[in-house]
């Protein structure tokens, strides 16, 4: 029987007889261990984009929401049961104390002539306002001119009136508050209102 040899002297085909099927044996592969990702060192929240991202530790508990602060009831939000006005979302708060005035606009009113019922307007002014501010709120110009002021008048009865103190813008009394000259928060509430007559020589 003739035997074949390769040039290296080895039997051909690894000495496997012809016609024998050859099936390669796969090398068993060990399953890879599962990859566990490390937790992130921080968590980025971008809910407030206008403020930029905010960083929170993963284990950090979010603070509990704080209860809303109790709102004060502002006493200046109403006056005698009437709500204070609001302008473009800005609420006005009334001062605490007010004085009630009955303003007589007839500057030519004569004290020695009976007047059954002089025309007047009832007005409230803050008791801490100065007399000068009061006169200017009634329409006098911003000046210290002695032409402008107010005169307090008192009703005597039977349509007769008597003149009280006259305060001109040029006097030192014009710098005092209504409360300081006796026109306090009791006037018009627990006592009689203040009757004043507009004084002007203009």
């Amino acid at each position: 029987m003739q035997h074949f040899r390769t040039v290296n002297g080895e039997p051909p085909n690894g000495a496997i007889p012809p016609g024998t099927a050859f099936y390669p044996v796969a090398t068993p592969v060990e399953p890879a261990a599962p990859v566990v990702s490390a937790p992130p060192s921080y968590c980025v929240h971008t809910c407030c984009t206008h403020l930029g991202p905010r960083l929170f530790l993963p284990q950090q508990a979010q603070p509990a929401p704080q209860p809303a602060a109790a709102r004060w009831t502002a006493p200046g939000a109403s006056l005698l049961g009437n709500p204070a006005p609001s302008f473009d979302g800005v609420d006005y708060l009334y001062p605490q104390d007010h004085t009630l005035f009955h303003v007589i606009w007839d500057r030519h009113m004569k004290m020695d002539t009976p007047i059954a019922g002089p025309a007047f307007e009832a007005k409230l002014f803050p008791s801490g306002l100065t007399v000068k501010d009061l006169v200017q709120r009634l329409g006098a110009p911003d000046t210290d001119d002695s032409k402008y002021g107010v005169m307090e008048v008192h009703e005597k009865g039977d349509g007769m009136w008597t003149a009280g103190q006259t305060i001109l813008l040029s006097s030192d009394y014009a710098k005092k508050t209504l409360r300081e000259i006796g026109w306090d928060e009791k006037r018009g509430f627990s006592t009689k209102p203040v009757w004043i007559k507009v004084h002007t020589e203009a």
Side-chain angles (χ1 to χ4, degrees), residues 74-88:
S78 64
L79 179 64
L80 302 178
N82 298 301
S86 179
F87 309 94
D88 297 330

Side-chain angles (χ1 to χ4, degrees), residues 120-144:
F120 71 92
E121 294 179 356
K123 297 184 180 295
L124 281 176
F125 287 94
S127 304
L129 206 67
T130 65
V131 178
K132 180 178 180 179
D133 288 334
L134 179 144
V135 177
Q136 290 178 348
R137 298 287 77 76
L138 291 174
D142 185 8
T143 177
D144 293 334

Side-chain angles (χ1 to χ4, degrees), residues 41-58 60 62-63:
S41 58
Y42 60 84
C43 180
V44 179
H45 294 260
T46 57
C47 56
C48 302
T49 56
H50 65 288
L51 298 178
R54 297 181 297 170
L55 304 182
F56 299 93
L57 294 177
Q60 180 178 354
Q62 297 299 316

Side-chain angles (χ1 to χ4, degrees), residues 21 44 52-53 71 80 105 132 143 146 152 167 186 196 201:
V44 179
R71 295 188 60 180
L80 302 178
W105 292 101
K132 180 178 180 179
T143 177
S146 60
E152 183 176 10
I167 302 178
K186 297 179 182 179
I196 57 175
E201 298 177 4

Side-chain angles (χ1 to χ4, degrees), residues 92 95 97-99 101 124-130 178-179 183:
Y92 177 80
D97 299 322
H98 291 80
T99 304
F101 287 85
L124 281 176
F125 287 94
S127 304
L129 206 67
T130 65
L178 306 180
R179 185 183 293 108
W183 299 345

